Amino acid sequence: MTKPAELTPTDTHVSSDQHTMTELLEIQRAAFLRDGIPDAKTRIDRIARLAALLLDHSDEIAQALTADFGSRPRELSLMADIAGCMLDLAHQRRSVAKWMKETKTSKVMGVAGFKQSIRHEPLGVVGIMGPWNFPLQLTIVPAGSAFAAGNRVLIRPSSITAKTTDVIAKYAPDYFSIEEFAVITSRHGSGSDFAKLKVDHMFFTGSPEVGASVASEAGKNLVPVTLELGGKNPVVVDTDADLTKAANLVADARLVNGGQVCLCPDYVFVPEAKHDEFIDKVIARWTANLPTIVDNPQFTATINEKNYNRIVGLIDDAVSLGATKRQVIPAGEQLPDAGRRKIAPTILTGVKAGMKIEEDEVFGPVLTVYPYRNLSEAINRIAANPHPLTMYWCGNRNERFERLADGTRSGAINGNDFALHLFGPELPFGGVGRSGMGGYHGKTGFDTFSHRRAVAFSTMPLTVATMMSPPFAKRDTKLADGQIKMWRKLNARALKKARKK
């Protein structure tokens, strides 16, 4: 393999495996202190090398992903885990020179003799913990943001997708010095061990349960965290929505990566009069798209036995407690298939409180469908649940949509398509409440891994220190009383104006 001429890593071909996690952190921190804040050219070069690491080995990466899952379409791996990184990495490259410039603030304060500005500085060494469902996209994209902000990066991909991690670990030294970018694997220790590192920022994508543990470990070292978590994402089908279009969208979105996406729809509210028709259309879509499942390489398998058993258990629990299931099982096939970890696409109705699937994120090819008579029913049920990572609306942007948006909370809202906000580099990605804290993508990612450092200079003859320390004279008393009087008048005026509206 020949690296592009413009990619200029230093001291490459030293493997991360030659050092412990703590040593790698110390190596990167020492390099950061030695070299200082990197210029735009260095940051752009690092992001370009990160992209090249994936692009140059795309076929091998796709093969590894298929091996890790047991069954995963090559097209999905190329689109999601490789091409899916490139939009944000390209946006970071184009924008970093502008984002890193010192920002001037109030002109009024400047005229008064106070010069104020904000420096956008790197934090130092960033730790990134990735999940197994999209082990590259959800690790490499935040790494690109960390590079744009000027940091050194340690990544710790999921042990569940070990073959994919091994490919990245194998080739990373061809592109990066371990002083810049190092791949931490299970050979270095567990994810819990990684969470204990005294990095300058810890970024985690995964389940809320593990996220809470990561935040706890990081908190012991006062390490700030960004948590990208999951949740049960609702869909609301409007009364005026095109029912076929809505059913096809939900059916397709539920099967992306075998349903193993933190943005997959989990449960659906459909107008009561259209409830049965909607379900028929979803079943028809799955039936048409899946003539086979068991030996179909385009149907992504459940990642491992543990998750397979959990999903099958959720279905069985709901049915045992009175729910009704409808499944798409091609003729001659037996599903679920434990050997291949394939589960039939399933719709559950009649789901009620007390059933496990009411609480648990499914992360598999299962949908729960509820009828609603009035939109308030759907809004109230969604609002009563933990805030999801996203919410889907099928229909026009109308008064009913605004009611839904105002009455609920979620990391994002997507209308009439799956995960649209992933493809807008200016849009932040992140959750709220149980679905996460903090965000990334675009400028938000740059800000997450930067410190906004205030700089203030005075050219005034009188100092704040003099004004606020003894002895206080009559002049100071008049000044203090005058300020309170002025602010009382201004605030009273603001209250009066607000109450008129």
Side-chain angles (χ1 to χ4, degrees):
M1 181 203 70
T2 303
K3 295 186 293 296
E6 69 272 23
L7 304 181
T8 55
T10 59
D11 189 27
T12 55
H13 302 289
V14 175
S15 170
S16 299
D17 283 348
Q18 297 176 28
H19 299 276
T20 67
M21 279 191 286
T22 302
E23 287 172 347
L24 289 167
L25 172 58
E26 292 172 350
I27 287 168
Q28 290 201 352
R29 178 156 287 139
F32 177 79
L33 294 173
R34 180 195 69 215
D35 296 341
I37 296 175
D39 59 17
K41 182 179 178 181
T42 300
R43 302 183 194 200
I44 291 167
D45 181 66
R46 287 173 179 167
I47 298 168
R49 279 186 267 145
L50 192 62
L53 171 60
L54 300 190
L55 294 169
D56 292 349
H57 306 285
S58 57
D59 287 335
E60 191 171 346
I61 289 169
Q63 291 168 10
L65 282 163
T66 297
D68 278 326
F69 277 84
S71 175
R72 196 194 205 218
R74 175 178 180 271
E75 295 84 354
L76 175 66
S77 294
L78 292 178
M79 286 190 292
D81 272 296
I82 299 174
C85 299
M86 297 305 146
L87 183 63
D88 198 70
L89 293 181
H91 186 60
Q92 299 285 346
R93 288 199 306 268
R94 287 193 304 268
S95 307
V96 63
K98 175 179 66 177
W99 293 341
M100 62 187 287
K101 288 181 180 177
E102 191 166 340
T103 305
K104 305 298 181 184
T105 58
S106 174
K107 292 183 179 179
V108 174
M109 294 295 286
V111 172
F114 294 100
K115 305 294 184 181
Q116 299 178 333
S117 62
I118 300 170
R119 289 169 56 96
H120 304 277
E121 298 183 350
L123 299 172
V125 180
V126 168
I128 297 174
M129 302 179 69
W132 54 261
N133 60 329
F134 291 102
L136 294 185
Q137 183 195 114
L138 300 179
T139 305
I140 296 300
V141 171
S145 295
F147 276 149
N151 299 284
R152 312 294 172 117
V153 178
L154 299 171
I155 68 167
R156 208 294 182 182
S158 171
S159 298
I160 293 175
T161 45
K163 293 180 175 62
T164 304
T165 299
D166 285 344
V167 174
I168 298 302
K170 173 184 174 183
Y171 292 114
D174 293 338
Y175 297 81
F176 291 99
S177 162
I178 56 173
E179 292 183 349
E180 303 170 293
F181 178 82
V183 182
I184 308 298
T185 70
S186 58
R187 292 181 287 275
H188 290 95
S190 67
S192 178
D193 294 330
F194 187 82
K196 295 180 174 70
L197 287 178
K198 296 181 181 180
V199 293
D200 298 294
H201 193 102
M202 186 66 74
F203 185 100
F204 170 82
T205 302
S207 71
E209 292 75 21
V210 179
S213 176
V214 170
S216 176
E217 293 294 349
K220 294 173 183 176
N221 295 317
L222 296 182
V223 173
V225 296
T226 298
L227 300 178
E228 300 296 339
L229 310 177
K232 293 179 72 66
N233 303 312
V235 182
V236 177
V237 179
D238 192 16
T239 52
D240 294 338
D242 181 321
L243 201 64
T244 299
K245 183 178 179 181
N248 289 346
L249 166 63
V250 172
D252 293 347
R254 178 70 268 189
L255 295 190
V256 174
N257 203 37
Q260 299 166 111
V261 187
C262 56
L263 295 172
C264 277
D266 207 286
Y267 61 110
V268 190
F269 292 98
V270 184
E272 186 176 56
K274 301 178 179 180
H275 175 264
D276 294 346
E277 183 184 359
F278 175 84
I279 292 173
D280 289 342
K281 288 180 180 293
V282 172
I283 294 293
R285 180 72 165 188
W286 284 341
T287 301
N289 288 347
L290 297 168
T292 64
I293 292 177
V294 172
D295 293 318
N296 187 347
Q298 295 191 0
F299 189 97
T300 304
T302 303
I303 186 66
N304 56 23
E305 183 180 2
K306 178 183 177 181
N307 280 282
Y308 170 87
N309 290 333
R310 180 186 59 80
I311 297 165
V312 171
L314 290 175
I315 298 171
D316 292 345
D317 172 75
V319 172
S320 71
L321 294 175
T324 299
K325 71 176 177 182
R326 287 186 64 181
Q327 296 183 306
V328 172
I329 302 177
E333 296 190 4
Q334 295 292 323
L335 290 170
D337 185 310
R340 295 175 177 83
R341 300 192 305 280
K342 298 286 185 75
I343 299 169
T346 302
I347 288 180
L348 293 172
T349 56
V351 172
K352 300 176 182 178
M355 299 178 183
K356 293 178 182 178
I357 201 164
E358 270 275 278
E359 305 294 333
D360 293 354
E361 181 181 6
V362 179
F363 231 61
V366 185
L367 275 172
T368 301
V369 180
Y370 303 98
Y372 74 88
R373 294 181 182 179
N374 185 291
L375 183 61
S376 295
E377 297 174 28
I379 291 173
N380 291 340
R381 290 190 68 168
I382 293 169
N385 292 332
H387 305 324
L389 187 57
T390 194
M391 182 182 305
Y392 293 97
W393 170 260
C394 296
N396 296 322
R397 181 160 186 174
N398 51 30
E399 179 271 338
R400 291 183 294 279
F401 168 81
E402 301 302 334
R403 282 178 57 202
L404 175 69
D406 289 344
T408 59
R409 297 292 175 268
S410 63
I413 306 176
N414 286 283
N416 301 317
D417 208 344
F418 173 70
L420 272 182
H421 67 301
L422 278 177
F423 306 102
E426 298 291 346
L427 294 176
F429 183 93
V432 59
R434 188 171 172 79
S435 60
M437 64 175 75
Y440 68 120
H441 286 204
K443 180 65 160 52
T444 302
F446 175 88
D447 290 340
T448 289
F449 298 115
S450 297
H451 171 56
R452 290 164 55 86
R453 190 178 187 184
V455 179
F457 271 82
S458 173
T459 58
M460 294 284 287
L462 186 65
T463 69
V464 172
T466 299
M467 293 169 60
M468 299 187 72
S469 61
F472 293 102
K474 288 184 178 180
R475 176 202 65 193
D476 300 312
T477 302
K478 288 182 179 179
L479 178 62
D481 290 340
Q483 285 188 34
I484 297 301
K485 185 177 181 180
M486 176 190 72
W487 285 113
R488 280 175 179 162
K489 285 183 178 180
L490 290 173
N491 196 57
R493 193 179 304 165
L495 283 171
K496 186 177 180 181
K497 185 177 180 181
R499 289 167 180 171
K500 281 184 177 180
K501 291 183 178 179

